[in-house]
Amino acid sequence: MSNASLIVSIVRKGWGSTVLEASVNAGARGGTVLFGRGAGINEQEKIFGMSIEPEKEVVLTVAYSDQIDTILTEIVRAAQLDDTGKGIAFVVPVDRVVGVAHFMRQSPRGKKPERRKK
């Protein structure tokens, strides 16, 4: 499946559901929220003189490439990603998708996708 892309959104703790909701409202069929920690120039926090790494939520959203701009725009708006230190989102091309039935059954234009020959 060469017409899919992955949006990776890394946001502040508690904002994963906001990103997920925004992406679904913009046309995505869902996503996966993972938890992580990160450190960056805008995230240096100290408690009693000790540096701590802020917790993050990583949202993975696979969608058809022609939907990516709309979904990404909504994620940026909802998660306030234009503001410094609020998070980051980026898009990665996806070569193949397996195990996700709605991608396997139907292309975005209603046609069955061509099967690759081995």
Side-chain angles (χ1 to χ4, degrees):
M1 163 182 215
S2 60
N3 64 340
S5 294
L6 170 68
I7 301 174
V8 179
S9 306
I10 305 170
V11 294
R12 298 162 288 159
K13 183 179 178 183
W15 284 74
S17 58
T18 300
V19 170
L20 190 55
E21 183 178 330
S23 63
V24 169
N25 288 341
R29 297 200 180 187
T32 301
V33 180
L34 307 170
F35 297 97
R37 293 183 298 160
I41 193 164
N42 295 311
E43 301 162 3
Q44 303 281 331
E45 292 186 30
K46 290 189 175 189
I47 296 177
F48 301 117
M50 294 174 37
S51 293
I52 60 166
E53 295 179 358
E55 294 178 348
K56 303 290 181 191
E57 293 184 12
V58 180
V59 183
L60 306 176
T61 307
V62 177
Y64 291 106
S65 297
D66 60 357
Q67 298 175 302
I68 293 297
D69 289 338
T70 302
I71 295 168
L72 187 59
T73 298
E74 187 59 19
I75 289 170
V76 169
R77 185 202 62 74
Q80 305 167 357
L81 296 184
D82 285 333
D83 296 341
T84 303
K86 302 289 183 166
I88 186 172
F90 53 91
V91 179
V92 181
V94 173
D95 184 47
R96 293 183 198 177
V97 176
V98 296
V100 182
H102 62 268
F103 276 105
M104 305 297 281
R105 281 195 302 264
Q106 191 172 4
S107 73
R109 291 169 193 82
K111 299 177 185 173
K112 289 203 173 221
E114 294 180 22
R115 298 214 180 243
R116 291 186 182 194
K117 293 182 181 179
K118 292 184 180 182

